[in-house]
Amino acid sequence: MTLIATWAEIRSLYRECHPSVFKASFVRGGLRMVWPSWGLTLAVGVLLVSTWFNGQSPLQGLAALAGTTLALFGMVLARERYCAWHFRDIYARETLHRYSFLRREELLRYALFRDALLARGLGAADIDELARIAELAGQPAQERWISQNLVIVMLVSAIVSLSTDVIKLTDTWIAGKGVVFVFALALVTYLICSVLDGLRSNQHRDRVIQRHLERAALDIARHPEAMKGHT
């Protein structure tokens, strides 16, 4: 198999090792495990509906935005709670509870990726060679994006300022329903960030895969017998 084909297979395997538990956190594990996901989803829905029908207060929009932000943060914590239960064997084996919850998913994905490599019968030398392939096949560093140009930033700032003045003159804003624009802007921002993150994260993901391969090779080389029981 050529270097490029091998690299494509490695990336595909890494994607398969993503701990997808979003749907499961709503339907599996009994009431004790699923109530945070359902409760937070319901809270966000009630908050949005109440804001839509009672948006007269100028602080209502800020309160709704703050409440939604807290609820989304709560969903992140609920997802981490479910991961700790669903992958409790890996959490115990890798002592993931000792790390901050912001790093646990990355380390969990590493453990799943390493176990998948072991399940394919790969040894430390094989994985070390894959790490070398990842280094050679990954994309080189990109040049600075045009959006970081000072002139572009100034023009975008001017457009934002003018757009704000136009929005404040609309009937919706005058009627006290300006929260509609806030949520619309938040949605557009989320979509744009998702697209940009998808475009710019490839290089970072390649480096992460390379690092995971290096970790796996070292883990297996140091503890070959213990690693055999993980597959």
Side-chain angles (χ1 to χ4, degrees):
M1 186 179 294
T2 65
L3 184 146
I4 301 301
T6 303
W7 175 232
E9 185 175 351
I10 296 171
R11 296 181 71 184
S12 177
L13 179 63
Y14 179 75
R15 286 193 295 268
E16 293 173 3
C17 294
H18 182 73
S20 302
V21 297
F22 178 78
K23 181 179 178 180
S25 66
F26 284 88
V27 298
R28 296 180 181 176
L31 181 62
R32 184 174 67 89
M33 296 308 305
V34 303
W35 76 261
S37 298
W38 282 108
L40 288 168
T41 302
L42 180 61
V44 171
V46 171
L47 183 62
L48 294 178
V49 172
S50 62
T51 301
W52 173 261
F53 288 105
N54 301 285
Q56 300 299 325
S57 172
L59 297 178
Q60 184 72 22
L62 292 178
L65 185 61
T68 303
T69 301
L70 290 175
L72 292 176
F73 181 72
M75 288 182 178
V76 173
L77 294 178
R79 185 180 188 279
E80 161 56 27
R81 176 176 177 268
Y82 189 86
C83 277
W85 173 81
H86 189 72
F87 298 102
R88 51 191 175 276
D89 293 339
I90 295 179
Y91 267 66
R93 185 179 74 214
E94 307 291 340
T95 63
L96 297 187
H97 294 93
R98 295 185 179 182
Y99 295 88
S100 69
F101 80 95
L102 295 176
R103 283 207 63 197
R104 290 175 191 172
E105 182 171 341
E106 174 208 346
L107 297 175
L108 171 62
R109 193 167 185 178
Y110 158 68
L112 294 172
F113 183 53
R114 183 196 60 208
D115 292 351
L117 293 170
L118 285 169
R120 295 194 171 197
L122 300 177
D126 300 318
I127 297 176
D128 194 52
E129 183 180 355
L130 292 179
R132 175 60 176 164
I133 291 175
E135 180 182 3
L136 295 175
Q139 296 180 353
Q142 296 180 350
E143 297 295 331
R144 188 178 66 173
W145 280 41
I146 189 173
S147 59
Q148 296 175 316
N149 186 284
L150 179 60
V151 176
I152 299 298
V153 173
M154 293 174 62
L155 290 175
V156 170
S157 300
I159 293 173
V160 170
S161 178
L162 293 174
S163 299
T164 302
D165 293 337
V166 171
I167 291 174
K168 289 182 177 180
L169 295 177
T170 61
D171 294 337
T172 302
W173 187 275
I174 295 174
K177 301 291 185 178
V179 67
V180 174
F181 293 104
V182 174
F183 283 116
L185 181 61
L187 177 61
V188 172
T189 301
Y190 172 77
L191 293 175
I192 292 177
C193 288
S194 298
V195 172
L196 292 179
D197 183 66
L199 294 175
R200 302 192 65 178
S201 65
N202 285 337
Q203 183 178 353
H204 174 71
R205 182 182 58 188
D206 292 349
R207 289 198 298 267
V208 169
I209 294 175
Q210 181 183 350
R211 176 63 60 85
H212 285 352
L213 289 169
E214 293 171 351
R215 288 174 179 171
L218 185 59
D219 264 347
I220 297 171
R222 293 179 61 190
H223 309 286
E225 295 301 324
M227 290 293 112
K228 289 180 181 180
H230 296 173
T231 56

